[in-house]
């Protein structure tokens, strides 16, 4: 598990783009899911990454189940697994200390087969342990 915190959303997107390009370069067969809590967040992030990384926006369950990067929401990934999962919006506003947020985070963090990256910008989510 990798946990990173960024000063702002621009730094977060730049770090994601750099890391995703390196992942694909190291293993072209890797299947990465970037799992945002909400569909709107997934759309915004997909648009932000579009200039740097080739990624598909997945809505309505249209996953490729093959190599590549897919940006989606928690609602879409229930019951699925991916080589790598990135949770890019782990902040206090998106994941407050609330049962719905706790369930959504549980779904997101239980999808990776090999690696999990928790990232956020702004105030940290209270759902993260203080030792992370």
């Amino acid at each position: 598990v990798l946990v990173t915190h960024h000063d702002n959303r621009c730094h977060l997107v730049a770090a994601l783009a750099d890391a995703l390009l390196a992942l694909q370069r190291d293993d072209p067969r890797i299947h990465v899911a970037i799992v945002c809590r909400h569909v709107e967040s997934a759309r915004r992030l997909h648009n932000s990454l579009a200039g740097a990384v080739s990624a598909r926006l997945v809505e309505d369950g249209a996953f490729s189940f093959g190599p590549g990067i897919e940006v989606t929401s928690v609602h879409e990934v229930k019951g699925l697994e991916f080589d790598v999962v990135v949770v890019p919006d782990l902040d206090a506003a998106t994941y407050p200390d609330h049962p719905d947020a706790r369930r959504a985070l549980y779904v997101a963090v239980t999808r990776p087969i090999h690696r999990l990256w928790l990232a956020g910008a702004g105030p940290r989510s209270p759902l993260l342990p203080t030792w992370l």
Side-chain angles (χ1 to χ4, degrees), residues 11-28:
H11 289 168
L12 171 65
V13 171
L16 280 173
D18 289 344
L20 292 169
L21 288 170
L23 270 175
Q24 285 189 308
R25 183 181 59 245
D26 293 345
D27 185 356

Side-chain angles (χ1 to χ4, degrees), residues 5-50:
H5 185 77
H6 304 272
D7 293 332
N8 58 53
R9 189 171 183 280
C10 290
H11 289 168
L12 171 65
V13 171
L16 280 173
D18 289 344
L20 292 169
L21 288 170
L23 270 175
Q24 285 189 308
R25 183 181 59 245
D26 293 345
D27 185 356
R29 298 167 294 139
I30 200 158
H31 187 199
V32 179
I34 302 174
V35 182
C36 299
R37 178 153 185 219
H38 304 290
V39 174
E40 300 80 23
S41 300
R43 289 179 187 144
R44 278 194 307 275
L45 183 58
H46 179 260
N47 288 337
S48 296
L49 289 171

Side-chain angles (χ1 to χ4, degrees), residues 1-3 33-37 73-74 77-90 95 101-119 125 127-129 132:
V1 176
L2 172 65
V3 179
I34 302 174
V35 182
C36 299
R37 178 153 185 219
S73 65
V74 169
V77 299
K78 290 180 185 176
L80 302 178
E81 291 182 328
F82 306 89
D83 295 329
V84 176
V85 170
V86 180
V87 178
D89 53 357
L90 194 51
Y95 287 97
R102 190 175 304 278
R103 282 189 293 275
L105 184 58
Y106 175 82
V107 169
V109 302
T110 56
R111 303 302 97 202
I113 296 169
H114 300 292
R115 293 187 230 169
L116 173 64
W117 180 8
L118 305 173
S125 169
L127 300 180
L128 280 176
L132 277 178

